[in-house]
Every structure is written in C-alpha cells, then in structure tokens.
Amino acid sequence: MRRYSADGLEVEIYDDSNGMIEAAAARLFEQARSKTDSILGLATGSTFLPFYGYVAAHYSVEGVSFRKVTTFNLDEYYPIKATSPDSYHTYMNRNLFSRVDLNPANTHLPDGEAPDAAVEAVAYERLIQESGGIDLQFLGLGRNGHIGFNEPGTAPDSRTHQTALSESTIAANSALFVDPGKMPRHALTMGIGTIMEARSLVLLASGKSKAEAVAASLKGEVSAQVPASFLRRHGRAVFMLDREAAAGIA
Ligand code: GLP
C-alpha cells in the first residue's frame, strides 16, 4: 500500500480491490471496537458489495459486535417501495443487515415511500442530528464525482434533500435494476453539509471507471462541479483506492 497526503486528505493506494476492502473493513472493526455504540454512515453501490460480504464473514471472528451500533444510509431512490428488489433498503437488508448482529430498529435509510419528500428529508436530517451525529461515514464515488446522490452543482452546505439524478448516474445505475426502464429519476440523499459533519470519512473507489473522478476530486479545483472535492476541506477524510482507480493521480 502506498500512502500520501494531499490537501489534508489521506490517500491510500492498494495493489488490488481486495486489499482495499480488507483495510476498509479493518477501519470499521476498529471503530466498532473502540466505541460499541458508534453511529455509522453507510453507502451502497457495487463497490460496497464485496465490502459488506467481507464484514459479514469476518466481524465475529474479529471480536466485533454491532448490537449497540446505529446506522444511517446516505441515500435511497425516490419514489421506491422499500420491498422493491432495486431499493437500497433491499440492498442493505440482503448484503449487511440480515448477516450481522445489528438491531434492525437501529438501522436507518431515507423513506422512499414517504408521501412528501421534503418532509421526509427534514425528518431524516433531524434523526441524524438527534443521534449525536455520525462517527464514521463510508462513501462511494460516482463516475461524475458525486457522493451520496449529491450530483455536480450541489451546494457544499446542502442538507438531506430530494435530488434529480443526472443522466450519467441513471446510465450507470440502471444497469443494476431488475427493470432498467423503471429506475426512479429522483432520490433522497444526505447533503454535502450533512456528510461533512461526520467526524471521520472513508471513501472507497475501485476500477478504472473511477480514475477520472478520483483525479478530478484530488487534483482539480475544490468545486461543486466535483462534489467529492469538498472532502479535501474535511481534515479527517481518507480516499482508499485500488491501483486502477488511482491511475490518474499516481
Ligand atoms: C450510487 C450511490 C452512491 C455510490 C455510487 C457509486 O449512485 N448513490 O452512494 O457511491 O453510486 O456506485 P458504484 O460503487 O456502483 O460505482
């Protein structure tokens, strides 16, 4: 692994995505061991499939319990039924919640069935604040530099809100839908301001499709055009990358 700092942000480059996943899981285990009632921020997407697989397979031998842990996911499509095979509720239940000892009552995602998206966004934001705030937030990276579903142009002080998905995100994510034509065009997402309040942040990116977004986030201007670039202002954020995702910076 190679490590360097850029603009107060730590960057770790692993030979392959397995190394990246194991090291990210080690950070999660360490967090859960040192504070058993940690508040975790969780992400979805294909990058996190092997991560949750690894966490579920190893947490108990690592002496970790999630019994007192609370989780908040970054985002959910809107509108979508929680029971839809394509919802992030289903993704999280299938890949993590049903496979570890988390208390289901302590797991939270924005409600894609809420009758009023604006009301739900305010309620979700309040729930995060009332929990005491997120200790460790995991993030993926969109091909266009988005974090959560904060598409290019989102304000750095944004809170949880309804957002319109960009064409690039619709193209990338519809491939994962059972019926790609039925992918919702909107989502509820924590805002960039919400994400930046997490006490520490771990962004994972693997594969060459992320190389351009990684380079733009780390080497370009800090700008709303590349939402992940704001992480350079956080102070306790790390980008964990595999070699392919780091191709544009190393
Ligand atoms: C989605 C999610 C993001 C995720 C990103 C990357 O749009 N809302 O939270 O980080 O995609 O996903 P993937 O890992 O599938 O490339």
Side-chain angles (χ1 to χ4, degrees):
M1 187 263 283
R2 277 181 299 140
R3 186 199 305 268
Y4 72 94
S5 306
D7 263 357
L9 185 105
E10 252 184 278
V11 182
E12 296 180 355
I13 304 171
Y14 293 84
D15 286 344
D16 57 30
S17 61
N18 291 336
M20 177 193 83
I21 294 297
E22 278 180 38
R27 284 181 182 256
L28 171 58
F29 294 153
E30 182 48 35
Q31 175 68 42
R33 269 193 223 100
S34 62
K35 186 179 176 200
T36 52
D37 59 350
S38 287
I39 315 288
L40 300 175
L42 300 177
T44 47
S46 42
T47 312
F48 280 88
L49 289 172
F51 175 75
Y52 293 133
Y54 187 94
V55 169
H58 292 87
Y59 79 101
S60 124
V61 287
E62 290 283 342
V64 168
S65 170
F66 297 109
R67 247 175 342 107
K68 291 197 236 154
V69 165
T70 297
T71 67
F72 288 97
N73 265 78
L74 282 165
D75 46 18
E76 175 59 287
Y77 293 105
Y78 189 84
I80 200 163
K81 281 195 183 313
T83 53
S84 158
D86 297 314
S87 74
Y88 284 162
H89 281 75
T90 297
Y91 171 109
M92 291 307 300
N93 284 330
R94 184 184 296 148
N95 296 302
L96 187 69
F97 299 161
S98 65
R99 302 176 64 193
V100 299
D101 64 348
L102 271 164
N103 177 352
N106 295 344
T107 63
H108 306 282
L109 290 95
D111 181 4
E113 299 182 33
D116 185 325
V119 170
E120 169 60 13
V122 169
Y124 197 68
E125 182 78 26
R126 186 178 310 130
L127 202 57
I128 295 171
Q129 307 298 334
E130 285 172 358
S131 76
I134 292 170
D135 293 303
L136 174 60
Q137 173 71 56
F138 287 91
L139 297 165
L141 180 66
R143 285 154 188 73
N144 59 5
H146 75 218
I147 48 175
F149 270 133
N150 292 284
E151 299 284 29
T154 308
D157 60 353
S158 49
R159 317 307 309 190
T160 303
H161 63 283
Q162 181 182 3
T163 181
L165 300 175
S166 71
E167 287 308 318
S168 135
T169 299
I170 291 168
N173 291 17
S174 61
L176 307 170
F177 268 67
V178 174
D179 184 349
K182 292 221 174 104
M183 180 179 159
R185 279 1 191 195
H186 292 83
L188 287 163
T189 182
M190 286 185 200
I192 295 174
T194 321
I195 292 169
M196 292 290 279
E197 276 173 16
R199 288 183 270 281
S200 60
L201 294 156
V202 171
L203 180 144
L204 299 186
S206 63
K208 54 180 187 295
S209 68
K210 301 294 170 71
E212 214 175 298
V214 166
S217 307
L218 296 177
K219 293 176 106 178
E221 300 275 295
V222 172
S223 123
Q225 285 321 303
V226 184
S229 67
F230 288 119
L231 301 172
R232 279 152 58 189
R233 295 194 179 147
H234 187 274
R236 290 202 60 198
V238 56
F239 271 46
M240 301 179 79
L241 312 170
D242 70 359
R243 253 202 306 222
E244 289 185 345
I249 55 160

